[in-house]
Amino acid sequence: MAEEILRIESLSKSFEGTQVFNNISFVIEKGELSSIIGPNGAGKTTLFNLITGYHIPDQGRVIFKGQDIAGIQPHRIVRLGMARAFQRTNIFPKMTVLENVVAAVISRQRRNLDLVSPFRNNKAAQERAYEILESVGLVDMANRLSGILAHGNQKRLDIAVALALDPELLLLDEPTAGMSPEERKHTVQLVKRLWETLHITMVFIEHDMDIVFGISQKVRVLCYRTILAEGTPAEISANEQVIEAYLGEEV
């Protein structure tokens, strides 16, 4: 029996009287590469916000590595081994690429950032940051200001910052959003390669069905305030309820 890393039990959430989720339950197995799809407004990002502590559920449990983390502050959840790359990049635009990753490495080491001493004085953190930048293909841009990077490279940097937190579970919120076709292709290759080499659990939100069906081991469909279906790409693409509710002619 596969080991689980995340369990969602009977999760419900409303905002100002409007129900977003109603009694959602599912399990993420350790080591899987899976995706969450659904129409705009289905609550995919809200689900990530609930999992990572940015929202508190009205009811239900979010169990990460055996511990109920519902309502725990985001930085404490990071300490437990979960990280997230956001739909809108969450980087410091006036810092260099290297400094962004070094800051995350130092944060993971539970050390306060010394804003007086330059980051380059922390050799161990810098070495780790270079390793991460190498893994995402940004090492040649280490000394560039992150705010002037192309959009695709900013998204890669956001992933690098998340990786610097040494996650066991990495959540990617639309990692290819706003990218050109060529950028999407490279980013998808990056996600798959990181999953294969780092052996971590990865869950991503995505609208491009070619990407979803191309690399996901399992797909979960969020629709009608609940998980409409989950299964392999082949099972989801043949599911009549999913086709009617969301996929339509895309299949």
Side-chain angles (χ1 to χ4, degrees):
M1 183 176 178
E3 181 182 356
E4 67 181 52
I5 191 169
L6 182 72
R7 175 180 290 271
I8 305 299
E9 290 185 352
S10 304
L11 201 66
S12 296
K13 182 65 179 177
S14 297
F15 292 102
E16 297 180 350
T18 300
Q19 191 169 54
V20 181
F21 301 127
N22 181 27
N23 202 34
I24 286 182
S25 297
F26 62 90
V27 172
I28 304 288
E29 294 180 353
K30 188 174 182 179
E32 76 174 44
L33 173 59
S34 59
S35 56
I36 296 175
I37 65 173
N40 290 330
K44 299 181 294 296
T45 295
T46 300
L47 178 59
F48 272 14
N49 286 338
L50 288 166
I51 292 171
T52 54
Y54 288 89
H55 293 325
I56 300 175
D58 297 333
Q59 67 178 40
R61 301 202 298 168
V62 179
I63 303 172
F64 178 54
K65 298 194 299 183
Q67 177 179 344
D68 188 358
I69 62 171
I72 290 180
Q73 293 176 312
H75 72 273
R76 291 181 59 197
I77 293 175
V78 169
R79 300 286 188 209
L80 294 173
M82 187 189 303
R84 175 182 179 183
F86 291 79
Q87 182 178 359
R88 294 183 178 181
T89 53
N90 191 35
I91 59 176
F92 296 106
K94 294 185 179 180
M95 291 169 58
T96 67
V97 169
L98 178 63
E99 288 170 343
N100 269 270
V101 182
V102 168
V105 171
I106 294 174
S107 173
R108 178 56 177 160
Q109 294 171 346
R110 303 192 182 192
R111 296 175 54 184
N112 293 327
L113 298 184
D114 185 348
L115 299 180
V116 177
S117 301
F119 285 165
R120 62 177 175 270
N121 289 347
N122 191 320
K123 297 299 183 184
Q126 191 177 56
E127 289 175 4
R128 175 61 180 147
Y130 272 118
E131 290 175 1
I132 295 167
L133 290 176
E134 181 72 38
S135 72
V136 300
L138 289 178
V139 70
D140 292 339
M141 303 180 187
N143 295 316
R144 294 188 188 180
L145 285 177
S146 60
I148 65 172
L149 294 179
H151 176 69
N153 288 330
Q154 287 188 351
K155 297 283 279 190
R156 282 175 176 250
L157 177 56
D158 203 30
I159 293 174
V161 168
L163 291 175
L165 301 172
D166 290 330
E168 296 175 59
L169 171 61
L170 177 59
L171 306 179
L172 304 174
D173 193 346
E174 296 196 35
T176 67
M179 292 185 181
S180 67
E182 190 66 18
E183 286 177 325
R184 285 201 301 271
K185 176 183 175 181
H186 290 313
T187 300
V188 171
Q189 292 172 344
L190 171 65
V191 168
K192 187 174 183 181
R193 177 167 52 80
L194 290 172
W195 173 70
E196 292 172 340
T197 57
L198 299 178
H199 307 293
I200 61 177
T201 308
M202 299 179 73
V203 182
F204 64 97
I205 294 171
E206 184 55 65
H207 286 285
D208 189 322
M209 292 302 102
D210 288 337
I211 293 173
V212 169
F213 293 149
I215 67 173
S216 301
Q217 291 182 312
K218 182 173 286 187
V219 181
R220 295 175 179 87
V221 184
L222 188 58
C223 194
Y224 304 136
R225 300 189 297 278
T226 191
I227 296 293
L228 180 64
E230 62 179 312
T232 66
E235 290 169 341
I236 293 300
S237 64
N239 186 299
E240 293 185 4
Q241 280 187 303
V242 175
I243 293 172
E244 179 180 355
Y246 176 55
L247 294 180
E249 295 181 356
E250 289 188 51
V251 177

